[in-house]
Amino acid sequence: MDAYLPFFKYHPNPLETKAFIQGDSPVVCDCCGKSVKIYYEGPFYSVEEVEALCPECISSGLAAEKFDGEFQDECSLDEGVDSLEKLDELIHRTPGYQGWQQEYWRSHCGDYCAFIGYVGYRELKQMGIVEEVLEDPDCPVRGEEGMEQEKLLKHVVNGGSMQGYLFRCLHCGKHLIWTDCD
């Protein structure tokens, strides 16, 4: 049934982030036809309607190939990564995350970052990374001239109308966020 969960470099904790559903009853993977209890119902851009995919079909790239689909919109990525192999791994072999509007993937140090999870100001404060996140020149939380960035960041609430998405650089460990609103 579900012997193991493959490792996804750009989404290392997909059960924790709820990218994969761990169901009580098995479902059939639309790609390979196997019955699985761990499956993906998240963002998948394809002409065909796909209900559920198993982790192995995502990891191997079989799902993206079979349905000519992508797990991340190629136009919604940070610039600065010039590797077709890294792009292929991110959009064809990495489960996405669920955003309010359009999911966006951050990059740093010439590579895509790992998606860590959903956050708000409270979680960033508990992790002690508010200042680190605000140091990012591309931090999406920007205020008007004279408006304190941290004050604006306090409006980001996990599960709220302004949601934060936390990423971590695979090379230097720096944390970056993306935000969007419902």
Side-chain angles (χ1 to χ4, degrees):
M1 288 276 266
D2 296 313
Y4 75 101
L5 187 65
F7 177 72
F8 298 96
K9 162 169 108 168
Y10 297 123
H11 198 149
N13 299 306
L15 283 173
E16 193 176 297
T17 65
K18 298 185 178 25
F20 287 115
I21 296 167
Q22 196 162 12
D24 293 329
S25 303
V27 301
V28 175
C29 173
D30 289 337
C31 185
C32 67
K34 292 180 185 171
S35 289
V36 293
K37 285 190 177 180
I38 298 176
Y39 56 95
Y40 178 81
E41 291 182 337
F44 185 63
Y45 305 99
S46 146
V47 172
E48 289 189 54
E49 190 67 33
V50 177
E51 297 292 323
L53 295 169
C54 74
E56 184 56 40
C57 286
I58 294 172
S59 175
S60 69
L62 186 60
E65 183 180 327
K66 180 176 181 172
F67 298 109
D68 192 24
E70 297 178 343
F71 294 94
Q72 177 63 41
D73 178 10
E74 192 174 340
C75 296
S76 297
L77 309 170
D78 268 354
E79 294 180 3
V81 180
D82 58 5
S83 165
L84 292 178
E85 291 85 19
K86 292 173 183 177
L87 176 64
D88 180 60
E89 182 169 354
L90 178 65
I91 67 174
H92 295 128
R93 297 189 314 274
T94 300
Y97 69 91
Q98 196 71 49
W100 282 119
Q101 305 289 326
Q102 174 64 47
E103 297 80 18
Y104 189 87
W105 214 280
R106 300 298 313 268
S107 70
H108 198 261
C109 292
D111 200 353
Y112 299 107
C113 294
F115 176 67
I116 303 304
Y118 304 92
V119 295
Y121 177 79
R122 177 181 295 155
E123 290 81 9
L124 297 172
K125 190 78 168 164
Q126 288 172 346
M127 294 171 73
I129 60 172
V130 169
E131 291 77 21
E132 178 183 350
V133 164
L134 291 175
E135 288 172 358
D136 173 17
D138 296 321
C139 179
V141 181
R142 293 276 177 232
E144 298 298 318
E145 192 170 317
M147 184 173 197
E148 186 183 328
Q149 271 189 300
E150 187 168 350
K151 187 175 181 180
L152 190 59
L153 186 61
K154 288 180 182 180
H155 294 284
V156 179
V157 176
N158 191 11
S161 289
M162 187 173 191
Q163 177 66 57
Y165 310 99
L166 184 63
F167 294 86
R168 184 182 61 239
C169 178
L170 296 173
H171 303 281
C172 73
K174 181 167 180 56
H175 290 93
L176 306 163
I177 64 166
W178 186 253
T179 61
D180 68 358
C181 300
D182 65 2

